[in-house]
Amino acid sequence: GGGGDDAGWSVLETADGFAVGGFTDSFGHGDYDFYLLEVDRSGVPLWSRTYGGARSDRSWALARAHGGGFVMVGETMSQGAGEEDCLLVRTDASGNELWSRTFGGAMGDRCFAVALDDDGGYVLAGQTYSEGAGDRDAFILKTNGEGVLEWSRTFGGEASDVAHSVARTADGAFLVTGYTTSLAARDDDPYLIKITGTGETVWTRVLPMEGTNHTITGDTRADGGFCLVGFTEDRRVGTGAVLIVWTDPEGRLEGVDERLHTTPGGAMGYTVRATSDGGCVFAGHATVDPVRRADLLLVKLGPPQAPAERPESRPPTPIR
């Protein structure tokens, strides 16, 4: 980075070291720009590139592209049809831009995640104010290998609904993870959408729980089920805790875990990956210092144990 703000949001291993994606206002064309760099295995920078325009452009996810190179996804105020649009950038292995595409309408649209489909295309997930049933809706769209839009779908109701991540499922479809206010029993609840590469909805799930609950990322476990992380907030206590959710392959609840309720500044899980033993590992932050500084949080969990009652029966009791 440089003299301004510089943030890394994604990392991939490469043949020479690691590629990091995020955004910067130290370099580039003005305000924030997409920021992609590669470092060797000792962390020494090999090259860096920026993508964007005069206004704010921020990338939240990085993936390997079909045929080599990278794809980055995020949001742009420099390009597109509205005040904010989804931005997808494709580069070669050295970070040279091959093409970029914007998606959205007249209002604010943002994409937070990208996954590769077997047909050479890309599936993006985020939120849209330009389309849907009202307020912001979960936004899922599919492009071909050149970034040309093939279809888009919105999910939600009249209140706030957001898709934060997308991951491949064991059968080649996609799990989209987020939260819903529109369909929740009271406050925000975890919202899961399974969708095929052709845009067909396989199922949607709302997992009713006490308090305010957001799932931010999800991944497919070795047994075909899913592990999800995010945060939960009890308004009576006033601080957040890490929320961990396990479901079966159909998105039905298997277990819930809440961690670090007692920290003074709260805690949150950001990123989760399934592990070969059937469990998962997640990263996030926790504010455990009396002066409210946040520390990095890394937790490894084994496979889920005895299943909780299904959300159709009653809100689950957290497993402590």
Side-chain angles (χ1 to χ4, degrees), residues 73 88 105 121 147 160 175-176 190 216 222 234 250 288 300:
V73 69
L88 177 67
S160 180
L175 174 74
V176 177
I216 296 176
D234 186 336
E250 298 300 312
V288 297
K300 169 70 175 70

Side-chain angles (χ1 to χ4, degrees), residues 22-23 29 32-35 50-63 70-91 97 99-105 108-114 122-127 139 141 143 147:
F23 52 87
H29 304 281
Y32 288 113
D33 279 339
F34 278 31
Y35 191 29
T50 62
Y51 320 92
R55 300 180 68 191
S56 178
D57 310 285
R58 293 185 293 178
S59 174
W60 305 107
L62 170 71
F70 306 100
V71 287
M72 303 181 74
V73 69
E75 65 205 51
T76 177
M77 298 181 71
S78 302
Q79 310 172 38
E83 60 184 60
E84 199 171 43
D85 278 345
C86 293
L87 176 60
L88 177 67
V89 175
R90 166 80 156 89
T91 80
E97 183 177 331
W99 48 255
S100 66
R101 307 282 187 260
T102 61
F103 311 96
D109 309 292
R110 308 168 72 187
C111 285
F112 303 119
V114 59
Y122 304 98
V123 176
L124 285 64
Q127 66 182 40
F139 192 31
L141 55 97
T143 78

Side-chain angles (χ1 to χ4, degrees), residues 50-304:
T50 62
Y51 320 92
R55 300 180 68 191
S56 178
D57 310 285
R58 293 185 293 178
S59 174
W60 305 107
L62 170 71
R64 292 180 180 85
H66 290 290
F70 306 100
V71 287
M72 303 181 74
V73 69
E75 65 205 51
T76 177
M77 298 181 71
S78 302
Q79 310 172 38
E83 60 184 60
E84 199 171 43
D85 278 345
C86 293
L87 176 60
L88 177 67
V89 175
R90 166 80 156 89
T91 80
D92 64 16
S94 298
N96 299 305
E97 183 177 331
L98 301 179
W99 48 255
S100 66
R101 307 282 187 260
T102 61
F103 311 96
M107 300 179 70
D109 309 292
R110 308 168 72 187
C111 285
F112 303 119
V114 59
L116 279 61
D117 201 357
D118 291 336
D119 65 359
Y122 304 98
V123 176
L124 285 64
Q127 66 182 40
T128 177
Y129 284 96
S130 301
E131 306 176 30
D135 197 79
R136 57 179 172 172
D137 277 4
F139 192 31
I140 307 171
L141 55 97
K142 167 73 185 304
T143 78
N144 66 13
E146 296 299 314
V148 177
L149 183 66
E150 294 185 343
W151 53 259
S152 66
R153 305 283 185 268
T154 62
F155 295 82
E158 295 182 355
S160 180
D161 311 287
V162 177
H164 275 294
S165 72
V166 57
R168 293 297 300 269
T169 60
D171 57 3
F174 297 88
L175 174 74
V176 177
T177 305
Y179 72 90
T180 177
T181 307
S182 302
L183 309 176
R186 278 176 286 185
D187 297 316
D188 301 340
D189 278 330
Y191 193 24
L192 310 182
I193 301 163
K194 185 176 181 181
I195 194 167
T196 68
T198 57
E200 298 173 358
T201 303
V202 181
W203 45 253
T204 65
R205 300 280 185 262
V206 179
L207 306 181
M209 300 178 185
E210 296 290 339
T212 299
N213 301 278
H214 291 195
T215 47
I216 296 176
T217 56
D219 200 13
T220 304
R221 300 196 315 263
D223 64 357
F226 305 109
C227 51
L228 320 167
V229 299
F231 68 91
T232 179
E233 182 176 320
D234 186 336
R235 292 177 179 173
R236 295 168 298 179
V237 178
T239 61
V242 175
L243 175 69
I244 307 157
V245 178
W246 292 274
T247 79
D248 68 11
E250 298 300 312
R252 294 183 292 253
L253 192 67
E254 288 185 324
V256 178
D257 200 355
E258 297 177 13
R259 297 294 173 98
L260 300 175
H261 257 301
T262 59
T263 57
M268 181 181 295
Y270 285 119
T271 302
V272 64
R273 291 291 181 267
T275 53
S276 58
D277 63 357
C280 61
V281 59
F282 73 84
H285 80 258
T287 307
V288 297
D289 192 297
V291 297
R292 303 179 74 83
R293 293 173 179 163
D295 287 329
L296 186 146
L297 175 66
L298 184 67
V299 178
K300 169 70 175 70
L301 295 167

